[in-house]
Amino acid sequence: MTRPSDLHVVALPMGEFTFAPGEEYEGQTGVVVAYAIRHRGGVFLFDTGFGFGNAELDDYYKVRARTVPEALAQAGIDLAEITAIANCHLHPDHSGQNLLFPGVPIFVQPAEWAAAHEPDYTVVEWIDFPGARYEQVAGDHEVAPGIRVFATPGHSPGHQSLVVETAQGPLLLAGQAVYSHGEWAGLAGAREGASVARDQPAYARSVARLRALNPKRVLFGHDHRAWP
Ligand SMILES: [Zn+2]
Ligand SMILES: [Zn+2]
């Protein structure tokens, strides 16, 4: 049996980008953060950062990506220790290095899988790769002892967050269901994702569902700062 104290979450800085012309935060630097959760059976990975070699994306967002092996090594984790993965969603800043993991289960919501195969949604060759093993799970679903995906559509059709049961209470990896520490805390002028969500009512419902979890700590896919 897994005790909550067995679970240990590590932030993996995956690089930076510059908000593009016309975007709300044009010219400002954005960050991408993935997370590794060490459990008794291995390491669960939440997000894989930007991929490499897409000139259009690199140019548009001035991408400065880090590799997953480098980020893991800095955290003392070997690539081979990763036993399963979930992406908060399949945009290219969160799923770009899935292709490093043939044969490793990758949990995805069916709605996200469908969206990822629509035109102009993501870099599809970073998603579909030889040996890819996507496991479609709809809604909330335990993916490892004490770790569950939690459906939070809004930013994207099949967005999902991750809830980790720790000794201190639920720890929430929001992904991009909430853009920043400031948005979660309700700070004026904070970077937020609500107003640019693909489905704003769904975004609001997902945030409400996350708040109802009463998490003790929240970590974000685009903010190094945790809440509280
Ligand atoms: Zn996105
Ligand atoms: Zn993103």
Coordinates of all heavy atoms in Angstrom, one line a residue, residues 8-60:
H8 N 6.4 12.2 -3.7 CA 7.3 13.3 -3.7 C 7.3 14.0 -5.0 O 7.6 13.4 -6.0 CB 8.7 12.9 -3.3 CG 9.7 14.0 -3.2 ND1 9.5 14.9 -2.2 CD2 10.8 14.2 -3.8 CE1 10.6 15.8 -2.3 NE2 11.3 15.4 -3.3
V9 N 6.9 15.3 -5.0 CA 6.8 16.1 -6.3 C 8.0 17.0 -6.5 O 8.4 17.7 -5.6 CB 5.5 16.9 -6.2 CG1 5.3 17.8 -7.5 CG2 4.2 16.0 -6.0
V10 N 8.5 17.0 -7.7 CA 9.6 17.8 -8.1 C 9.3 18.6 -9.3 O 8.8 18.1 -10.3 CB 10.9 16.9 -8.4 CG1 12.1 17.8 -8.7 CG2 11.2 16.0 -7.3
A11 N 9.5 19.9 -9.2 CA 9.3 20.8 -10.4 C 10.4 20.7 -11.4 O 11.6 20.7 -11.0 CB 9.1 22.3 -9.9
L12 N 10.1 20.7 -12.7 CA 11.1 20.6 -13.7 C 11.0 21.8 -14.6 O 10.1 21.8 -15.5 CB 10.9 19.3 -14.5 CG 10.8 17.9 -13.8 CD1 10.4 16.8 -14.8 CD2 12.2 17.6 -13.2
P13 N 11.8 22.8 -14.5 CA 11.8 23.9 -15.4 C 12.1 23.5 -16.8 O 13.2 22.9 -17.0 CB 12.9 24.9 -14.8 CG 13.3 24.3 -13.5 CD 12.9 22.9 -13.5
M14 N 11.2 23.7 -17.7 CA 11.3 23.2 -19.1 C 11.7 24.3 -20.1 O 11.7 24.0 -21.3 CB 10.1 22.5 -19.5 CG 9.7 21.2 -18.7 SD 11.1 20.0 -18.7 CE 11.4 19.7 -20.4
G15 N 11.9 25.5 -19.6 CA 12.4 26.5 -20.5 C 11.5 27.7 -20.6 O 10.6 27.9 -19.7
E16 N 11.7 28.6 -21.5 CA 11.0 29.9 -21.6 C 10.6 30.2 -23.0 O 11.1 29.5 -24.0 CB 12.0 31.0 -21.1 CG 12.4 30.8 -19.7 CD 13.3 32.0 -19.2 OE1 13.9 32.7 -20.1 OE2 13.5 32.1 -18.0
F17 N 9.7 31.1 -23.2 CA 9.3 31.6 -24.5 C 9.0 33.1 -24.3 O 8.9 33.6 -23.2 CB 8.1 30.8 -25.0 CG 6.9 30.9 -24.2 CD1 5.9 31.9 -24.5 CD2 6.7 30.2 -23.0 CE1 4.7 32.0 -23.7 CE2 5.6 30.3 -22.2 CZ 4.6 31.2 -22.6
T18 N 8.7 33.8 -25.4 CA 8.3 35.2 -25.4 C 6.9 35.3 -26.0 O 6.7 34.7 -27.1 CB 9.3 36.0 -26.2 OG1 10.6 35.9 -25.7 CG2 8.9 37.5 -26.2
F19 N 6.0 35.9 -25.3 CA 4.6 36.1 -25.8 C 4.7 36.8 -27.1 O 5.4 37.8 -27.3 CB 3.8 36.8 -24.8 CG 3.4 36.0 -23.5 CD1 4.2 36.1 -22.4 CD2 2.3 35.1 -23.6 CE1 3.8 35.3 -21.3 CE2 2.0 34.4 -22.5 CZ 2.7 34.5 -21.3
A20 N 3.9 36.3 -28.0 CA 4.0 36.8 -29.4 C 3.2 38.1 -29.6 O 2.4 38.5 -28.8 CB 3.4 35.7 -30.3
P21 N 3.6 38.8 -30.7 CA 2.9 40.1 -31.0 C 1.4 39.9 -31.1 O 0.9 38.9 -31.7 CB 3.5 40.4 -32.4 CG 4.8 39.8 -32.4 CD 4.7 38.5 -31.6
G22 N 0.6 40.8 -30.5 CA -0.8 40.7 -30.5 C -1.4 39.9 -29.3 O -2.6 40.0 -29.0
E23 N -0.5 39.2 -28.6 CA -1.0 38.5 -27.4 C -1.0 39.4 -26.2 O -0.3 40.4 -26.2 CB -0.1 37.3 -27.1 CG -0.2 36.1 -28.1 CD 0.5 34.9 -27.7 OE1 1.6 35.0 -27.0 OE2 0.0 33.8 -28.0
E24 N -1.8 39.1 -25.2 CA -2.0 40.0 -24.1 C -0.6 40.4 -23.4 O -0.5 41.5 -23.0 CB -2.8 39.2 -23.0 CG -2.9 40.0 -21.7 CD -4.3 40.2 -21.2 OE1 -5.2 39.4 -21.6 OE2 -4.5 41.2 -20.5
Y25 N 0.3 39.4 -23.3 CA 1.6 39.7 -22.6 C 2.7 39.9 -23.6 O 3.9 39.5 -23.3 CB 1.8 38.7 -21.5 CG 0.6 38.5 -20.6 CD1 -0.1 37.3 -20.6 CD2 0.3 39.5 -19.7 CE1 -1.2 37.2 -19.8 CE2 -0.8 39.4 -18.9 CZ -1.6 38.2 -18.9 OH -2.7 38.1 -18.1
E26 N 2.4 40.4 -24.7 CA 3.4 40.5 -25.8 C 4.7 41.0 -25.3 O 4.8 42.1 -24.6 CB 2.8 41.5 -26.9 CG 3.8 41.9 -28.0 CD 3.2 42.9 -29.0 OE1 2.0 43.1 -29.0 OE2 4.0 43.4 -29.8
G27 N 5.8 40.3 -25.7 CA 7.1 40.7 -25.4 C 7.6 40.2 -24.1 O 8.8 40.3 -23.8
Q28 N 6.7 39.8 -23.2 CA 7.1 39.4 -21.9 C 7.6 37.9 -22.0 O 7.2 37.2 -22.9 CB 6.0 39.5 -20.9 CG 5.5 40.9 -20.6 CD 4.4 41.0 -19.6 OE1 4.3 40.1 -18.7 NE2 3.5 42.0 -19.7
T29 N 8.4 37.5 -21.0 CA 8.9 36.1 -20.9 C 7.9 35.2 -20.2 O 7.3 35.6 -19.2 CB 10.2 36.1 -20.2 OG1 11.2 36.8 -21.0 CG2 10.7 34.6 -20.0
G30 N 7.6 34.1 -20.8 CA 6.8 33.1 -20.2 C 7.6 31.8 -19.8 O 8.7 31.6 -20.4
V31 N 7.2 31.1 -18.9 CA 7.9 29.9 -18.5 C 7.0 28.6 -18.7 O 5.8 28.7 -18.6 CB 8.4 29.9 -17.0 CG1 9.3 31.1 -16.9 CG2 7.3 30.0 -16.0
V32 N 7.7 27.5 -18.8 CA 7.0 26.2 -18.9 C 7.5 25.3 -17.8 O 8.8 25.2 -17.7 CB 7.2 25.6 -20.3 CG1 6.5 24.2 -20.4 CG2 6.6 26.5 -21.4
V33 N 6.7 24.7 -17.0 CA 7.1 23.9 -15.9 C 6.4 22.5 -16.0 O 5.2 22.5 -16.1 CB 6.8 24.5 -14.5 CG1 7.6 23.8 -13.4 CG2 7.1 26.0 -14.5
A34 N 7.2 21.5 -16.0 CA 6.7 20.1 -15.9 C 6.9 19.6 -14.4 O 7.6 20.3 -13.7 CB 7.3 19.2 -16.9
Y35 N 6.4 18.5 -14.1 CA 6.5 17.9 -12.8 C 6.8 16.4 -12.8 O 6.2 15.7 -13.6 CB 5.3 18.2 -11.9 CG 5.1 19.7 -11.7 CD1 4.4 20.5 -12.6 CD2 5.7 20.4 -10.7 CE1 4.2 21.9 -12.5 CE2 5.6 21.8 -10.5 CZ 4.8 22.5 -11.4 OH 4.7 23.9 -11.3
A36 N 7.6 16.0 -11.9 CA 7.9 14.6 -11.7 C 7.4 14.2 -10.3 O 7.6 14.9 -9.3 CB 9.3 14.2 -11.8
I37 N 6.6 13.1 -10.2 CA 6.1 12.6 -8.9 C 6.7 11.3 -8.7 O 6.4 10.3 -9.4 CB 4.6 12.5 -8.9 CG1 3.9 13.9 -9.3 CG2 4.1 12.1 -7.5 CD1 3.3 13.9 -10.6
R38 N 7.6 11.2 -7.7 CA 8.2 10.0 -7.3 C 7.3 9.2 -6.4 O 6.8 9.7 -5.5 CB 9.6 10.2 -6.6 CG 10.4 9.0 -6.5 CD 11.7 9.3 -5.8 NE 12.8 9.8 -6.7 CZ 13.4 9.0 -7.6 NH1 13.0 7.8 -7.8 NH2 14.3 9.6 -8.4
H39 N 7.0 7.9 -6.8 CA 6.2 7.1 -6.0 C 6.9 5.7 -5.8 O 8.0 5.5 -6.4 CB 4.8 6.9 -6.5 CG 4.7 6.4 -7.9 ND1 4.6 5.1 -8.2 CD2 4.8 7.0 -9.1 CE1 4.5 4.9 -9.5 NE2 4.7 6.1 -10.1
R40 N 6.4 4.8 -5.1 CA 7.1 3.6 -4.8 C 7.4 2.7 -6.1 O 8.4 2.0 -6.1 CB 6.3 2.7 -3.8 CG 6.5 3.2 -2.4 CD 6.1 2.1 -1.4 NE 6.6 2.4 -0.1 CZ 6.3 1.7 0.9 NH1 5.6 0.6 0.8 NH2 6.8 2.0 2.1
G41 N 6.5 2.9 -7.1 CA 6.7 2.1 -8.3 C 7.5 2.7 -9.4 O 7.6 2.1 -10.4
G42 N 7.9 3.9 -9.1 CA 8.7 4.6 -10.2 C 8.4 6.1 -10.1 O 8.2 6.7 -9.1
V43 N 8.5 6.7 -11.3 CA 8.3 8.2 -11.4 C 7.2 8.5 -12.4 O 7.3 8.0 -13.5 CB 9.6 8.9 -11.7 CG1 9.3 10.4 -11.9 CG2 10.6 8.7 -10.7
F44 N 6.2 9.3 -12.0 CA 5.1 9.7 -12.9 C 5.5 11.1 -13.4 O 5.8 12.0 -12.6 CB 3.8 9.7 -12.1 CG 2.6 9.9 -13.0 CD1 1.9 8.8 -13.4 CD2 2.2 11.1 -13.4 CE1 0.8 8.9 -14.3 CE2 1.1 11.3 -14.3 CZ 0.4 10.2 -14.7
L45 N 5.3 11.3 -14.7 CA 5.7 12.6 -15.3 C 4.5 13.3 -15.8 O 3.6 12.8 -16.5 CB 6.7 12.3 -16.5 CG 7.3 13.5 -17.2 CD1 8.1 14.4 -16.2 CD2 8.1 13.1 -18.4
F46 N 4.4 14.6 -15.3 CA 3.2 15.4 -15.8 C 3.8 16.5 -16.7 O 4.4 17.5 -16.2 CB 2.6 16.0 -14.5 CG 1.3 16.8 -14.8 CD1 0.2 16.2 -15.5 CD2 1.1 18.1 -14.3 CE1 -1.0 16.9 -15.7 CE2 -0.1 18.7 -14.5 CZ -1.1 18.1 -15.3
D47 N 3.6 16.3 -18.0 CA 4.0 17.2 -19.0 C 5.5 17.0 -19.5 O 6.3 16.5 -18.7 CB 3.9 18.7 -18.7 CG 2.4 19.2 -18.8 OD1 1.6 18.4 -19.3 OD2 2.1 20.3 -18.5
T48 N 5.7 17.3 -20.7 CA 7.1 17.1 -21.3 C 7.7 18.3 -22.0 O 8.7 18.2 -22.7 CB 7.0 15.9 -22.3 OG1 6.2 16.2 -23.4 CG2 6.6 14.6 -21.6
G49 N 7.1 19.5 -21.8 CA 7.6 20.7 -22.3 C 7.5 20.9 -23.8 O 6.8 20.1 -24.5
F50 N 8.2 21.9 -24.3 CA 8.3 22.1 -25.8 C 9.1 21.0 -26.4 O 10.0 20.4 -25.8 CB 9.0 23.4 -26.1 CG 8.2 24.6 -26.1 CD1 8.3 25.6 -25.1 CD2 7.2 24.9 -27.1 CE1 7.6 26.8 -25.0 CE2 6.5 26.0 -27.0 CZ 6.6 27.0 -26.0
G51 N 8.8 20.7 -27.7 CA 9.6 19.9 -28.5 C 10.7 20.7 -29.2 O 10.8 21.9 -29.0
F52 N 11.4 20.0 -30.1 CA 12.5 20.7 -30.8 C 12.3 20.5 -32.3 O 11.8 19.5 -32.8 CB 13.8 20.0 -30.4 CG 14.2 20.4 -29.0 CD1 13.7 19.6 -27.9 CD2 15.0 21.5 -28.7 CE1 14.0 19.9 -26.6 CE2 15.3 21.8 -27.4 CZ 14.8 21.0 -26.3
G53 N 12.8 21.5 -33.1 CA 12.9 21.4 -34.5 C 11.7 21.9 -35.3 O 11.6 21.7 -36.5
N54 N 10.8 22.6 -34.6 CA 9.7 23.2 -35.4 C 10.0 24.7 -35.5 O 9.8 25.5 -34.6 CB 8.3 23.0 -34.7 CG 7.2 23.5 -35.5 OD1 7.0 24.7 -35.6 ND2 6.4 22.6 -36.1
A55 N 10.5 25.1 -36.7 CA 11.0 26.4 -36.9 C 9.9 27.5 -36.8 O 10.2 28.5 -36.2 CB 11.6 26.5 -38.3
E56 N 8.7 27.1 -37.2 CA 7.6 28.1 -37.1 C 7.3 28.5 -35.7 O 7.2 29.6 -35.3 CB 6.4 27.5 -37.8 CG 5.3 28.5 -38.1 CD 4.0 27.8 -38.7 OE1 4.1 26.7 -39.2 OE2 3.0 28.4 -38.7
L57 N 7.2 27.4 -34.8 CA 6.9 27.7 -33.4 C 8.0 28.4 -32.7 O 7.8 29.3 -31.9 CB 6.6 26.3 -32.8 CG 6.0 26.3 -31.4 CD1 4.5 26.7 -31.5 CD2 6.0 24.9 -30.8
D58 N 9.3 27.9 -33.0 CA 10.4 28.5 -32.4 C 10.5 30.0 -32.7 O 10.9 30.8 -31.8 CB 11.7 27.8 -32.9 CG 11.9 26.4 -32.3 OD1 11.1 26.1 -31.4 OD2 12.8 25.7 -32.8
D59 N 10.2 30.3 -33.9 CA 10.3 31.7 -34.4 C 9.2 32.5 -33.7 O 9.4 33.6 -33.3 CB 10.2 31.7 -35.9 CG 10.6 33.1 -36.4 OD1 11.6 33.6 -36.1 OD2 9.8 33.7 -37.2
Y60 N 8.0 32.0 -33.7 CA 6.8 32.7 -33.3 C 6.9 33.0 -31.8 O 6.6 34.1 -31.3 CB 5.6 31.9 -33.6 CG 4.3 32.7 -33.4 CD1 3.9 33.7 -34.3 CD2 3.4 32.4 -32.3 CE1 2.7 34.4 -34.1 CE2 2.2 33.1 -32.1 CZ 1.9 34.1 -33.0 OH 0.7 34.8 -32.9

